[in-house]
Amino acid sequence: MNWADFQPGRRVVCISHYEWAGTLVNALPEIGRVYTVRAQKNHPLNGELGIRLKELSIFSTSPKFTPLDGGEYWLQARNFRPLDETRLDQFRKLLAPTPEKAVQP
């Protein structure tokens, strides 16, 4: 996993379901949805890269499972794929409406 692919401000797409945590937290990322990375850090025990998203703040609904650092969960970066903005720009150009050519009488 490349640390640079998950820098704050980079856009990522969720590629994995989080259904197991549905009753423990207030919100979950949706597979196929695009998000923006707000923060990143390595997990202190296993070194795995964690991210937080601008569009989604995930808090526990149970006092038993509240994270220690401020109460907001870190999501595992391996469940997201970074988007190539260059390719996105090219795709947007293809989708942009083009003016109709005037019909000559």
Side-chain angles (χ1 to χ4, degrees):
M1 178 136 328
N2 188 350
W3 179 272
D5 287 338
F6 296 95
Q7 291 293 320
R10 290 290 308 265
R11 290 167 27 112
V12 294
V13 64
C14 181
I15 59 169
S16 183
H17 288 287
Y18 278 91
E19 293 174 3
W20 61 269
T23 59
L24 301 175
V25 295
N26 65 327
L28 291 170
E30 298 174 24
I31 195 164
R33 185 159 175 209
V34 175
Y35 298 95
T36 308
V37 176
R38 176 170 37 104
Q40 66 169 228
K41 83 171 199 177
N42 280 342
H43 191 281
L45 298 177
N46 64 11
E48 188 170 354
L49 182 60
I51 60 173
R52 287 184 176 161
L53 307 171
K54 283 186 180 181
E55 297 84 359
L56 197 62
S57 295
I58 301 173
F59 293 94
S60 176
T61 56
S62 168
K64 287 184 177 181
F65 300 104
T66 301
L68 299 175
D69 63 342
E72 184 178 355
Y73 282 100
W74 290 89
L75 298 167
Q76 296 165 322
R78 65 185 158 121
N79 294 321
F80 296 85
R81 183 177 335 136
L83 293 178
D84 184 352
E85 293 294 333
T86 305
R87 289 185 181 181
L88 284 176
D89 289 340
Q90 292 171 358
F91 183 68
R92 286 183 188 115
K93 286 179 186 176
L94 291 173
L95 292 178
T98 56
E100 297 284 330
K101 290 186 177 181
V103 178
Q104 297 292 330

